[in-house]
């Protein structure tokens, strides 16, 4: 009798385990299916293309080759990758320097004003990205608003549009909110008494910032930088519109390989290189988060 | 040494401090005692420089304190929540204040070592705050505050987060430390026993005002306001009017007490529970009051007996040494010596 209860108990346990697994599948199913169909399969295709040759009139010839990777090291392309790295880094640093004080200030506002300020920060996301970048053309172009204003005070006109400066400006503008929000979250979490304790022990406000506030908000800094760097690095809309249409950044290069040169294998290889850089960054972030 | 004169602070329509004046002497262990929300923390924050008063002045050794920024005051505060830096080890936390003084590295190291030994945390020097127990954190916070050898050390409810046993130990340790380092201590607490056992003098706060400043014994035996009489020691209070032999209590007749108040003054008579004598109702010489035992609680060293007396709003509390034979329902007589009844003007 005891034996039968044990057996039926085990059966019930395995049944409940199965029904729990089924339950999970129901919840995870839709998201999982979407990811497999629209992320994993295309990604696998892109990965696959990197080892094949391009067809003469576009398309892919299924003939294994390593030449896509050798081409990657061609200074012509390497320069574009490094250039993108540079522009994305500059944009990230500027966004950090501008975003930190903003986030700090918002975190110290009275509760009611905090909400207002946060809404203002995300407000730009309510309008179309393209429209917002176009607006910068109006601002920066030769006879644009900014040059008009400069001329009134006897300066310029300058060539503001179509250069690296314009691209960085556009990138910073586009992704600054993604810097401010994680910084805000980290600063808001910080116990204000820690700053007071630091002052009480004789630390000047600057010392307190570098010894207490900054180290304790590092997770926000890392996350914010990642949020700005990642979309900046692979961006092709901003350089296309504000950079003068040349293939200045990897994003444009990849786009051109697919759509203009019809060289899918090389485009895939470039995309893979981009992905590799970003994966390294994510690993660094995970490592830094684990240390904190 | 520390002179607080007419300090007031309001937050919107809450008056946290109202015309507070205190003088704290060199080397003294001074306690600010009062219920939660009466403005004790606000006063410490003003002294430390995190808050400024709406009115009043504070001088330390004759020099104005309020004009100096927080990081330039020779005053250290031990926070109620300890506020240890979570990203630094115990040793780093303690060294932080000394490093700000730009002392040579070797000196910082010796002084940190010394103070950690003093609070018994040498072993924990390399650990982070989250790896410590509540008592250990409290000692780190204390070490961090005293290592700077401030002129004045402020402690905001330093022991409130600890359980009873650790607390008793830490009280002794605080007292010992104060003798050793000779710093002036100002400790905030809402626990009257703690204030009594630690302090040389106590200021009792009520709703942002100082009610009475006195030595513990004087405060306990001679409360000067009804609030102090009620807050310090769970005293028995009888309302009435002062008369030659004590108090003409409302509805209870004349109760014995020592009075220097003019006859007829509205007053409270305060009698400490341990001063009340408990006798069987049949005993001779009767008692001052008669009633029925409502409840008995045994606390080891003492027993508390509460007696319901007709005509008294609240039961009369009696503290008896050791165990007692009184049981709920027993009829008893209560009495006390006239010098144990303290009259407090109302
Ligand atoms: N920054 C503040 N803003 C608004 N009200 C405050 C502030 N600080 C303290 N108070 C109020 O002042 C009163 C005294 O507070 P506090 O000094 O913290 O009391 P205690 O330390 O004696 O418990 C309380 O009513 C509290 O709510
Ligand atoms: Mg408090």
């Amino acid at each position: 009798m005891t034996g039968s209860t044990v057996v039926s108990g085990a059966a019930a346990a395995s049944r409940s385990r199965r029904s729990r697994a089924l339950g999970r599948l129901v919840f995870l199913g839709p998201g999982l299916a979407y990811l497999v169909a629209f992320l994993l399969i295309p990604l696998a295709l892109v990965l696959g293309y990197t080892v094949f040759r391009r067809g003469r009139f576009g398309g892919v010839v299924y003939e294994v080759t390593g030449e896509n990777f050798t081409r990657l090291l061609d200074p012509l392309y390497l320069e574009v990758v490094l250039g993108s790295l540079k522009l994305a880094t500059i944009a990230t640093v500027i966004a950090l320097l501008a975003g930190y004080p903003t986030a700090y200030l918002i975190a110290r506002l009275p509760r009611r004003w905090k909400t207002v300020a946060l809404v203002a920060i995300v407000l730009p996301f309510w309008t179309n990205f393209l429209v917002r970048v176009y607006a910068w053309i109006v601002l920066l172009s030769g006879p644009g608003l900014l040059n008009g204003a400069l001329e009134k005070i006897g300066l310029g006109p300058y060539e503001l549009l179509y250069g690296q400066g314009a691209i960085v400006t556009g990138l910073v503008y586009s992704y600054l909110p993604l810097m401010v929000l994680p910084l805000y979250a980290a600063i808001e979490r910080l116990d204000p008494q820690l700053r007071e304790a630091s002052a009480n022990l004789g630390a000047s406000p600057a010392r307190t910032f570098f010894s207490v506030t900054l180290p304790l908000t590092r997770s926000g800094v890392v996350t914010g930088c990642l949020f700005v760097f990642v979309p900046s690095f692979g961006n092709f809309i901003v350089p296309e519109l504000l950079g003068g249409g040349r293939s200045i950044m990897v994003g444009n290069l990849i786009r051109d390989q697919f759509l203009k040169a019809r060289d899918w294998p090389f485009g895939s290889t470039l995309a893979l290189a981009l992905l590799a850089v970003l994966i390294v960054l994510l690993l660094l972030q995970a490592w830094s988060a684990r240390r904190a | 040494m520390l002179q607080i004169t007419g300090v007031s602070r309001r937050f919107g329509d809450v008056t946290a401090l109202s015309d507070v004046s205190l003088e704290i002497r060199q080397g003294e262990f001074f306690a600010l005692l009062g219920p939660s929300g009466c403005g004790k923390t606000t006063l410490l924050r003003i002294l430390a420089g995190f808050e400024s008063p709406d009115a009043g002045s504070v001088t330390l050794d004759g020099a104005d304190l309020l004009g100096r920024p927080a990081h330039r005051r020779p005053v250290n505060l031990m926070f109620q929540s300890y506020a240890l830096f979570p990203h630094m080890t115990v040793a780093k936390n303690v060294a932080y204040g000394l490093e700000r003084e730009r002392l040579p590295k070797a000196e910082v190291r010796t002084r940190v070592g010394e103070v950690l030994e003093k609070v018994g945390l040498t072993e924990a020097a390399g650990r982070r705050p989250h790896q410590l127990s509540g008592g250990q954190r409290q000692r780190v916070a204390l070490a961090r505050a005293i290592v700077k050898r401030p002129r004045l050390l402020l402690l905001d409810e330093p022991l409130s987060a600890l359980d009873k046993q650790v607390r008793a130990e830490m009280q002794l340790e605080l007292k010992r430390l104060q003798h050793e380092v000779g710093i002036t201590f100002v400790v905030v607490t809402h626990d009257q026993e703690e204030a009594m056992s630690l302090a040389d003098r106590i200021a009792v706060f009520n709703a942002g005002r100082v009610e009475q400043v006195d030595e513990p014994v004087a405060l306990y035996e001679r409360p000067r306001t009804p609030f102090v009489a009620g807050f310090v020691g769970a005293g028995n209070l009888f309302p009435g009017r002062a008369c030659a032999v004590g108090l003409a209590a409302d509805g209870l007749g004349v109760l014995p007490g020592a009075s220097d108040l003019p006859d007829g003054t509205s007053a409270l008579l305060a009698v400490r529970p341990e001063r009340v004598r408990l006798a069987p109702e049949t005993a001779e010489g009767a008692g001052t009051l008669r009633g029925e035992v409502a409840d008995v609680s045994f606390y080891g060293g003492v027993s508390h007996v509460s007696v319901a007396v007709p005509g008294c709003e609240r039961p009369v509390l009696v503290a008896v040494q050791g165990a007692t034979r009184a049981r709920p329902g027993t009829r008893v007589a209560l009495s006390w010596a006239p010098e144990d009844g303290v009259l407090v003007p109302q």
Side-chain angles (χ1 to χ4, degrees):
Chain A
M1 200 188 85
T2 340
S4 89
T5 26
V6 168
V7 169
S8 79
S14 103
R15 213 178 311 129
S16 88
R17 211 174 302 136
R18 222 175 307 136
S19 79
R20 220 176 307 144
L22 197 71
R24 274 192 207 141
L25 205 64
V26 168
F27 280 104
L28 285 178
L32 220 53
Y34 189 90
L35 278 180
V36 169
F38 297 108
L39 182 72
L40 288 187
I41 294 177
L43 203 61
L45 283 176
V46 165
L47 276 180
Y49 285 159
T50 59
V51 295
F52 295 124
R53 211 185 287 282
R54 67 173 286 206
R56 269 192 78 177
F57 306 102
V60 182
V61 179
Y62 296 96
E63 204 179 294
V64 175
T65 169
E67 70 183 20
N68 292 319
F69 290 94
T70 6
R71 219 174 132 196
L72 204 55
L73 299 176
D74 183 327
L76 187 68
Y77 300 117
L78 210 57
E79 210 173 291
V80 175
V81 174
L82 292 179
S84 317
L85 217 53
K86 187 184 86 181
L87 290 183
T89 306
I90 295 174
T92 306
V93 169
I94 294 176
L96 177 62
L97 294 180
Y100 204 105
T102 312
Y104 192 88
L105 222 71
I106 296 175
R108 301 188 72 175
L109 286 177
R111 180 173 299 261
R112 206 153 51 97
W113 291 110
K114 258 182 210 172
T115 318
V116 174
L118 287 175
V119 168
I121 292 284
V122 294
L123 206 58
F125 283 125
W126 294 1
T127 44
N128 183 282
F129 183 67
L130 268 177
V131 172
R132 284 185 286 136
V133 179
Y134 267 116
W136 277 98
I137 299 183
V138 178
L139 275 172
L140 298 180
S141 69
L145 287 173
L146 201 57
N147 265 327
L150 284 174
E151 267 173 66
K152 282 230 172 70
I153 57 169
L155 295 168
Y158 294 105
E159 178 66 81
L160 298 173
L161 202 54
Y162 305 136
Q164 303 201 336
I167 295 178
V168 170
T169 308
L171 290 175
V172 170
Y173 163 77
S174 305
Y175 301 118
L176 188 59
L178 298 182
M179 177 65 87
V180 172
L181 292 179
L183 280 175
Y184 164 79
I187 297 168
E188 161 83 341
R189 251 200 328 267
L190 189 68
D191 179 2
Q193 287 206 338
L194 293 178
R195 261 181 272 135
E196 291 179 349
S198 172
N200 186 250
L201 293 167
S204 64
R207 185 75 261 160
T208 296
F209 178 77
F210 286 109
S211 294
V212 176
T213 312
L214 192 56
L216 288 175
T217 51
R218 201 188 58 182
S219 68
V221 172
V222 172
T223 309
C225 286
L226 216 60
F227 280 7
V228 174
F229 187 88
V230 169
S232 295
F233 187 41
N235 204 289
F236 63 91
I237 295 177
V238 172
E240 171 86 19
L241 295 180
L242 304 180
R246 284 163 292 148
S247 292
I248 304 175
M249 292 184 71
V250 224
N252 306 82
L253 197 56
I254 295 172
R255 205 263 326 258
D256 290 350
Q257 290 304 317
F258 274 98
L259 300 183
K260 292 189 184 154
R262 317 258 301 141
D263 188 345
W264 288 18
F266 186 56
S268 299
T269 312
L270 282 168
L272 182 67
L274 187 89
L275 205 61
V277 172
L278 297 182
I279 285 174
V280 167
L281 282 177
L282 282 171
L283 287 176
L284 280 177
Q285 188 239 0
W287 172 77
S288 142
R290 265 242 317 255
R291 247 190 31 171
Chain B
M1 161 198 171
L2 182 74
Q3 184 83 48
I4 300 168
T5 319
V7 165
S8 298
R9 179 73 168 107
R10 296 173 60 87
F11 297 104
D13 36 319
V14 177
T15 305
L17 292 172
S18 161
D19 194 25
V20 169
S21 296
L22 289 171
E23 197 201 336
I24 294 164
R25 301 175 199 139
Q26 172 68 45
E28 192 170 36
F29 201 128
F30 195 89
L32 307 177
L33 173 65
S36 211
C38 69
K40 308 177 302 283
T41 297
T42 304
L43 183 60
L44 289 199
R45 290 175 58 81
I46 286 172
L47 297 181
F50 306 137
E51 198 78 73
S52 19
D54 302 328
S57 70
V58 179
T59 61
L60 182 68
D61 298 320
D64 172 55
L65 191 65
L66 296 180
R68 285 205 240 174
H71 66 281
R72 299 233 172 81
R73 296 189 185 191
V75 171
N76 282 133
L77 170 64
M78 183 182 150
F79 288 79
Q80 189 164 0
S81 59
Y82 308 148
L84 299 177
F85 304 125
H87 59 305
M88 297 182 194
T89 61
V90 167
K92 276 271 168 209
N93 263 283
V94 176
Y96 190 83
L98 296 178
E99 283 165 358
R100 303 289 79 82
E101 292 175 24
R102 296 176 202 284
L103 295 175
K105 274 211 170 71
E107 189 183 342
V108 171
R109 210 170 319 119
T110 23
R111 274 174 68 177
V112 169
E114 278 169 15
V115 79
L116 284 182
E117 195 182 329
K118 197 170 282 174
V119 298
L121 281 175
T122 310
E123 255 83 275
R127 281 194 247 161
R128 298 281 185 90
H130 69 90
Q131 297 168 309
L132 303 177
S133 72
Q136 288 174 320
R137 273 181 227 174
Q138 188 258 341
R139 281 180 286 166
V140 178
L142 187 63
R144 190 175 71 171
I146 58 172
V147 76
K148 300 258 295 177
R149 299 181 189 150
R151 295 280 296 136
L152 182 64
L153 182 62
L154 311 172
L155 305 110
D156 195 355
E157 312 234 0
L159 308 179
S160 61
L162 305 178
D163 57 47
K164 209 172 157 121
Q165 208 168 358
V166 188
R167 203 148 134 176
E169 268 170 47
M170 292 311 299
Q171 284 179 0
L172 286 177
E173 215 157 314
L174 269 186
K175 197 79 186 155
R176 179 179 60 83
L177 206 70
Q178 199 245 348
H179 282 299
E180 265 178 41
V181 295
I183 300 171
T184 306
F185 276 46
V186 176
V187 59
V188 156
T189 176
H190 63 259
D191 176 348
Q192 56 101 4
E193 275 179 41
E194 188 166 290
M196 293 279 166
S197 66
L198 285 175
D200 299 320
R201 285 195 307 149
I202 300 173
V204 180
F205 274 66
N206 177 27
R209 292 182 177 279
V210 179
E211 293 265 335
Q212 185 173 351
V213 184
D214 240 322
E215 286 165 16
V217 177
L219 201 66
Y220 191 74
E221 295 190 338
R222 301 258 148 242
R224 278 206 305 268
T225 71
F227 178 82
V228 176
F231 189 73
V232 178
N236 297 304
L237 298 176
F238 306 96
R241 295 190 173 279
C243 65
V245 293
L247 182 96
D250 307 335
L252 293 171
V254 173
L255 302 177
S259 166
D260 47 9
L261 298 174
D263 278 10
T265 318
S266 168
L268 286 178
L269 181 79
V271 188
R272 295 291 164 206
E274 62 274 20
R275 303 287 184 187
V276 181
R277 287 191 299 263
L278 198 64
E281 201 183 22
T282 51
E284 258 171 60
T288 314
L289 294 172
R290 279 148 199 286
E292 186 174 290
V293 174
D295 190 34
V296 180
S297 357
F298 180 57
Y299 288 99
V302 288
S303 300
H304 284 181
V305 182
S306 62
V307 180
V309 175
C312 271
E313 221 172 277
R314 290 200 290 162
V316 176
L317 207 60
V318 185
V320 190
Q321 285 298 318
T324 173
R325 276 202 302 276
R327 288 287 164 269
T330 319
R331 296 203 55 86
V332 290
L334 306 172
S335 60
W336 57 85
E339 63 269 24
D340 290 330
V342 178
L343 274 147
V344 182
Q346 203 169 15

